[in-house]
Amino acid sequence: MSTPRRSARPSRRVRQRRTIAAAAGIVVVVIAAIAIGAASSAGTDEAKPTASVTTSPSATPTPEETRPTPEVPAEPTVVPSFDKSARSIDDPNSIWLVVNKLRPLNPADYAPADLVEVPVAHTWTPLMRAEASDAVVALFQAASAEAGLSLASNSAYRSYSTQVDLYAGDDNLTARPGYSEHQTGLTMDIGAASGNCSLRTCFTDTAEGAWLRDNAWRFGYLLRYPADKTAITGYDFEPWHFRYIGVDLATEMHNTGITTLEEFFGLPAAPAYP
């Protein structure tokens, strides 16, 4: 008797086992793929260089932007200029009055109202306007204290009538009546108490003359008739003739190097009478 032939189709149980095995294999493959992909992604991220940060051309600093901002300079200090119009040069009562051969006193017989006796050594009792007197007293005291010099007044205020008596016709040596600075009460002829070279040009070479030349401005006095300005003032050199103009004007003239009132105030030279 022959053996019955088995069917070639697998049994149901076998098929179920195969199906389960196939599914499990697929799951394994999927998990492996996921793992490989994750690893690959991680490696790629680690190897990827960090992108550099670049700036657009507009953000690049220009030379102007990198240059330090200069400091703003402080406003310059304004130094006020000297006011030449602060006092009158025409009023006979003004200490800036300019008297010369072209500018007579007005009135011609003017006499100051505030004349006082000046308490200094003298040849003739000197009279001056009060302000000028105080200043010349301080000047005499400074000459003594600073340099051990003794000064004296040789002449101060002279009235119109006195000038009439003194005028001898030499216009380079003596002013005509009504044209003299001595009549203003602001002028003193100063010499050495010893009398050495009094009212002579050699006074400029004495210690007293040199000290006055260098220091009179500090007290408001001006050497009115310098040696090199006869063509402007109209008078020969008088190193003894000092005119009170006040400390402010005397200081300004000293600092600017201007030696005559005519030049300082822009007035015409007065070498002769009209």
Side-chain angles (χ1 to χ4, degrees):
M1 184 174 74
S2 61
T3 303
R5 190 177 54 181
R6 282 187 184 178
S7 172
R9 184 177 181 182
S11 65
R12 183 177 182 184
R13 181 173 295 181
V14 172
R15 289 200 303 270
Q16 288 177 343
R17 289 178 179 172
R18 289 180 178 174
T19 300
I20 291 171
I26 292 172
V27 170
V28 171
V29 170
V30 171
I31 291 172
I34 292 174
I36 293 171
S40 175
S41 176
T44 301
D45 289 342
E46 291 177 359
K48 185 177 181 180
T50 303
S52 60
V53 178
T54 59
T55 56
S56 63
S58 61
T60 302
T62 63
E64 290 76 11
E65 293 172 338
T66 57
R67 185 178 303 144
T69 303
E71 294 183 3
V72 178
E75 290 293 328
T77 301
V78 178
V79 179
S81 58
F82 188 84
D83 184 4
K84 294 183 179 182
S85 64
R87 298 176 187 265
S88 173
I89 60 174
D90 303 308
D91 182 354
N93 293 305
S94 170
I95 63 171
W96 288 5
L97 173 68
V98 180
V99 179
N100 59 32
K101 292 176 180 178
L102 299 180
R103 298 174 58 85
L105 285 158
N106 185 19
D109 60 352
Y110 166 78
D114 60 344
L115 290 173
V116 297
E117 187 174 316
V118 187
V120 296
H122 56 270
T123 304
W124 292 280
T125 302
L127 300 177
M128 295 187 79
R129 291 183 59 183
E131 182 179 343
S133 173
D134 290 343
V136 84
V137 168
L139 184 153
F140 276 44
Q141 291 174 344
S144 176
E146 296 175 10
L149 300 174
S150 297
L151 303 176
S153 169
N154 296 141
S155 180
Y157 169 71
R158 297 200 294 256
S159 67
Y160 181 89
S161 59
T162 299
Q163 201 67 20
V164 169
D165 294 336
L166 288 176
Y167 180 65
D170 190 334
D171 288 337
N172 276 15
L173 295 178
T174 310
R176 295 178 183 179
Y179 290 83
S180 173
E181 281 204 330
H182 283 278
Q183 194 177 326
T184 67
L186 298 171
T187 297
M188 178 178 281
D189 292 338
I190 304 174
S194 65
N196 181 32
C197 283
S198 291
L199 302 179
R200 290 183 288 165
T201 55
C202 62
F203 181 65
T204 192
D205 298 320
T206 66
E208 292 84 358
W211 190 92
L212 284 168
R213 180 193 64 227
D214 296 338
N215 294 280
W217 66 272
R218 295 162 45 201
F219 304 88
Y221 276 87
L222 173 71
L223 176 62
R224 184 65 176 97
Y225 303 131
D228 59 342
K229 296 299 173 70
T230 297
I232 293 173
T233 65
Y235 294 98
D236 293 339
F237 178 38
E238 293 188 2
W240 58 83
H241 183 111
F242 287 87
R243 158 71 191 278
Y244 183 72
I245 56 175
V247 173
D248 53 350
L249 177 54
T251 300
E252 181 70 11
M253 293 183 69
H254 172 77
N255 290 342
T256 57
I258 300 174
T259 58
T260 70
L261 294 175
E262 288 80 7
E263 291 171 300
F264 186 83
F265 288 110
L267 298 172
Y273 294 99

